[in-house]
Amino acid sequence: AVVSTQSTGFGGQFEVKPDQMQALNPIFILALIPVFESVVYPLMKKVGLPTSPTFRIILGMTITACSFVICGFLQIAMEGKVSSWNDAHPGDNFTIDNFPKNEQIHILTQIPMIFVITCGEILTSITVLEFAYSYAPPSMKSVCQSLSLLTTAVGNLVVIIFSKVTDKPTYLFFMWAAIVLLAAVLQGFICKKIQGPLDEYRLKELEGKNDGVELKEKDSAV
């Protein structure tokens, strides 16, 4: 949002507004989910990369961190353009907020950043929901999915708190990248600890279902 409001949306006879750029995220999600299911995941298997939920979540978080890095460099480019303008025009003292629109970096330069963060979101958010649903017992599926969605609210609270650390967007973008990478490492350790017990529970659950099916078949035969 910060980068959007500090970029120009002019292009020919139309203007792209910052709020309109945010609509690209759901559009990309709807377009890319089939691509991931039919192309990306099969390709990962073909080249020998794991497609387990743990790997996909950690990969998604890493890609999300990359989107913050892209955003940080875009912010640096914008600030550098303002600084160069002021150096070349000693009478001017523009800031990034009041820099002339026709001299600003175009707002469409954010498309790669939005695309990257969408890929990270597909790998992370959708996999987490799938993971919570597939491993939870039947009586806890709704609760586990609700707790999974609750993390979004907690994340928004964390954003509010950490955004007070500095008023410089560039620092914030790189700080978020570091936080997401740290969270990915922690997620990896947590998943490593719980994956074994979860797989054992799921195997027992499947064996119990198979035993139940066999008993029903025997009863029907009698």
Side-chain angles (χ1 to χ4, degrees), residues 159-171:
V159 170
I160 294 172
I161 295 171
F162 278 82
S163 294
K164 305 297 182 182
V165 173
T166 178
D167 58 352
K168 293 186 177 181
T170 306
Y171 295 162

Side-chain angles (χ1 to χ4, degrees), residues 44-191:
M44 288 172 63
K45 290 180 180 178
K46 192 172 182 180
V47 299
L49 289 175
T51 56
S52 63
T54 300
F55 182 81
R56 282 155 57 183
I57 291 170
I58 295 173
L59 178 62
M61 294 175 75
T62 305
I63 292 174
T64 301
C66 292
S67 72
F68 282 110
V69 173
I70 294 171
C71 198
F73 281 114
L74 183 58
Q75 185 75 20
I76 290 173
M78 292 163 58
E79 293 174 354
K81 193 167 187 179
V82 175
S83 178
S84 299
W85 177 278
N86 289 334
D87 291 341
H89 303 81
D92 295 335
N93 190 24
F94 287 116
T95 65
I96 198 167
D97 294 315
N98 62 9
F99 197 53
K101 283 191 173 182
N102 59 338
E103 296 294 335
Q104 293 175 3
I105 294 176
H106 201 281
I107 198 170
L108 294 182
T109 54
Q110 295 178 56
I111 291 178
M113 174 192 67
I114 297 172
F115 178 83
V116 171
I117 199 171
T118 301
C119 292
E121 187 175 355
I122 292 172
L123 284 164
T124 304
S125 299
I126 295 176
T127 305
V128 165
L129 290 173
E130 177 188 339
F131 184 84
Y133 185 83
S134 60
Y135 281 94
S139 60
M140 294 290 291
K141 289 187 184 295
S142 298
V143 175
C144 288
Q145 288 207 49
S146 299
L147 290 174
S148 176
L149 294 173
L150 181 63
T151 59
T152 303
V154 176
N156 290 334
L157 182 61
V158 171
V159 170
I160 294 172
I161 295 171
F162 278 82
S163 294
K164 305 297 182 182
V165 173
T166 178
D167 58 352
K168 293 186 177 181
T170 306
Y171 295 162
L172 281 175
F173 293 137
F174 289 111
M175 180 189 73
W176 291 128
I179 289 173
V180 173
L181 286 175
L182 177 61
V185 173
L186 292 175
Q187 182 71 30
F189 282 116
I190 293 171
C191 288

